[in-house]
Amino acid sequence: MKSVSISGSTRANVGKRDSKDLRANGQVPCVLYGGKDQIHFSAPELAFKQLVYTPDAYTVNLTIDGKDYKAIMQDIQFHTITDKIQHIDFLLLNEDKPVLIDIPVKLIGTSIGARQGGKLLTNIRRLKVRALPKDLPDSVDINIENLNIGQAIRVKDLSIPGVQFLDAGSMVIVTVRMTRNVVATDEAGAKPAAGAKAAAKK
């Protein structure tokens, strides 16, 4: 999985007033947990641009007071009015422990159904997975070239070595719907596409 690097400094105080002062100075209060002790730190708001404002998923190389940690972002809070980042939780990665993370869906190719005039609908753009850090993919790549009108690809149709999908297996990720420009066939509902596969980038 791709990574982004962020440098921060430990926080002497962790109260609400301290957090407010940090935000007023362009810093984001953060916490790193998963190790022996939680580490409270802050980093410039601009440092999180690539991590937060993107459809991609990243691991994070954190440098806090000169010490390096590898982590993933677990939770983020935004201001209800300004939408500015208020707080971020990070989880320390352990190569021997699986982690839960949302991975973006990437569709590969143009479906047969869309070429015939059907409407391609993407219902899920991110999937929740569990995997060891070494097995985390950049994205869940789904080949839709054989997807015809009335067919769908569901979570249960996917398979990536070392990755467990946590969303409901019956959940439809992508489907091709009939449109007024297409002559109706005997396909009344969405059916799984034959040979639907997911391939992961590492």
Side-chain angles (χ1 to χ4, degrees), residues 136-150:
L136 290 173
D138 289 333
S139 59
V140 178
D141 294 352
I142 303 175
N143 191 320
I144 61 170
E145 291 180 349
N146 295 324
L147 193 64
N148 215 324
I149 295 172

Side-chain angles (χ1 to χ4, degrees), residues 48-67:
F48 298 102
K49 183 177 180 180
Q50 183 179 356
L51 176 65
V52 176
Y53 303 106
T54 175
D56 299 325
Y58 293 92
T59 57
V60 184
N61 296 321
L62 289 173
T63 301
I64 305 172
D65 291 344
K67 294 183 179 180

Side-chain angles (χ1 to χ4, degrees), residues 5-26:
S5 297
I6 294 173
S7 295
S9 302
T10 54
R11 298 168 56 188
N13 302 302
V14 294
K16 291 184 178 180
R17 178 176 293 181
D18 178 69
S19 295
K20 184 177 181 180
D21 290 342
L22 286 171
R23 297 185 192 108
N25 288 288

Side-chain angles (χ1 to χ4, degrees), residues 95-141:
E95 292 300 324
D96 298 324
K97 293 183 179 180
V99 295
L100 276 64
I101 188 171
D102 290 341
I103 301 295
V105 170
K106 183 178 179 181
L107 303 182
I108 306 298
T110 302
S111 72
I112 294 174
R115 292 199 300 268
Q116 293 176 344
K119 184 176 182 180
L120 184 72
L121 297 176
T122 304
N123 297 326
I124 303 175
R125 299 192 180 277
R126 299 180 77 86
L127 290 167
K128 187 175 294 295
V129 306
R130 178 189 284 118
L132 292 173
K134 68 180 181 66
D135 293 324
L136 290 173
D138 289 333
S139 59
V140 178
D141 294 352

